[in-house]
Amino acid sequence: MAKPIYIVGGSKGGVGKSLVSMSLTDYLVRSDESVLLIESDTSNPDVWKCYKSEVSCVLINLDEADGWIELVNVCEQNSDMTIVVNTAARNNTSVSNYGAMLNSSLGELKRELVTFWVINRQRDSIELLKQYMSVMRGTVHVLTNGYFGEQKKFELYNSSKAKEEVEARDGKSLHFPELADRVADDIYSKRLSINAASKELPIGNRAELLRWRGEVGKVFSEVIP
């Protein structure tokens, strides 16, 4: 079996996909995985800007059929690498239109598809999750973003049929830890990877980043072998 394809989704802006993609990439690299990062947010490629000097990165527009064709081809050409796909906020329409291309290629690619779906506490996060799961194969893990509150505050998701479906498909509901705003702002404004930030930020900021990095590692270790 070739390396997995990890998709970080959420299909709306502001839920925290970029930080999850960065932290997933950081976790995999620290686990000695060879990572190919695919940035599909071509209009605002924050993750690509932070990681282009540290890991192999490709910009692919997944709003169009050609982008999904390219995604499948890149996955075939790099079978020895773990793929991380950071999706754009507008992605659900293109998933509905073209996601079948990736689904139908998984067997030939000999890859497992795993999605980390990032949500806030609003109902549309859950509705978009349901739409995504109706189209895409593979395991879906839901990350309730701690920026929006403690796990118990995600009442809509915690009591939803979407949560039941996630767990029926062997997915997990995980809580993604909050990172202090000033540290997250530094990472984005200075275009730093998490590893670079852990060395370059002021000592207090680094301490918070390392605390958060450790908590993130515990979350990913629950679902990544």
Side-chain angles (χ1 to χ4, degrees):
M1 180 70 73
K3 299 289 187 177
I5 301 169
Y6 293 109
I7 291 181
V8 179
S11 288
K12 55 182 288 186
V15 295
K17 295 187 300 296
S18 293
L19 193 58
V20 170
S21 292
M22 292 173 67
S23 61
L24 175 59
T25 300
D26 178 70
Y27 177 82
L28 292 169
V29 169
R30 290 194 297 124
S31 301
D32 295 323
E33 293 290 338
S34 179
V35 175
L36 174 60
L37 173 64
I38 295 176
E39 172 68 273
S40 71
D41 191 351
T42 53
S43 62
N44 190 29
D46 285 332
V47 179
W48 177 81
K49 290 176 181 176
C50 292
Y51 273 88
K52 62 181 180 177
S53 64
E54 289 201 9
V55 300
S56 298
C57 293
V58 181
L59 284 170
I60 299 179
N61 182 0
L62 293 181
D63 290 341
E64 304 168 350
D66 281 352
W68 288 85
I69 295 169
E70 184 179 359
L71 171 62
V72 173
N73 289 340
V74 166
C75 289
E76 181 186 30
Q77 293 158 6
N78 297 275
S79 60
D80 59 332
M81 303 184 80
T82 299
I83 307 292
V84 175
V85 182
N86 181 54
T87 63
R90 59 193 179 274
N91 192 238
N92 248 40
T93 299
S94 60
V95 166
S96 297
N97 290 337
Y98 309 120
M101 288 190 201
L102 180 57
N103 285 338
S104 63
S105 303
L106 291 171
E108 191 171 350
L109 291 171
K110 297 182 174 61
R111 286 185 183 264
E112 177 188 8
L113 177 63
V114 179
T115 299
F116 289 99
W117 191 269
V118 192
I119 66 171
N120 59 18
R121 291 159 55 192
Q122 298 174 1
R123 187 174 298 278
D124 56 352
S125 273
I126 302 170
E127 294 303 316
L128 291 166
L129 167 63
K130 289 161 62 177
Q131 291 174 28
Y132 180 86
M133 292 184 67
S134 71
V135 176
M136 297 303 289
R137 289 173 51 188
T139 302
V140 178
H141 303 299
V142 171
L143 296 178
T144 52
N145 191 344
Y147 179 81
F148 302 103
E150 300 174 0
Q151 175 75 55
K152 65 183 180 182
K153 292 187 176 181
F154 288 76
E155 296 97 342
L156 286 175
Y157 173 70
N158 292 334
S159 61
S160 70
K161 291 190 179 297
K163 182 174 185 288
E164 294 177 8
E165 184 178 351
V166 164
E167 295 173 1
R169 287 173 54 169
D170 296 324
K172 289 195 175 184
S173 301
L174 306 166
H175 194 59
F176 189 75
E178 181 182 10
L179 176 64
D181 283 344
R182 64 187 296 174
V183 180
D185 290 345
D186 268 353
I187 288 172
Y188 287 122
S189 64
K190 296 177 181 178
R191 305 299 188 197
L192 296 172
S193 70
I194 292 172
N195 188 54
S198 72
K199 299 172 183 176
E200 297 180 23
L201 293 183
I203 186 169
N205 297 41
R206 295 201 311 269
E208 161 61 6
L209 180 63
L210 292 173
R211 176 205 66 79
W212 172 84
R213 196 189 206 184
E215 293 301 310
V216 167
K218 292 176 186 177
V219 172
F220 286 133
S221 68
E222 290 191 42
V223 292
I224 297 177

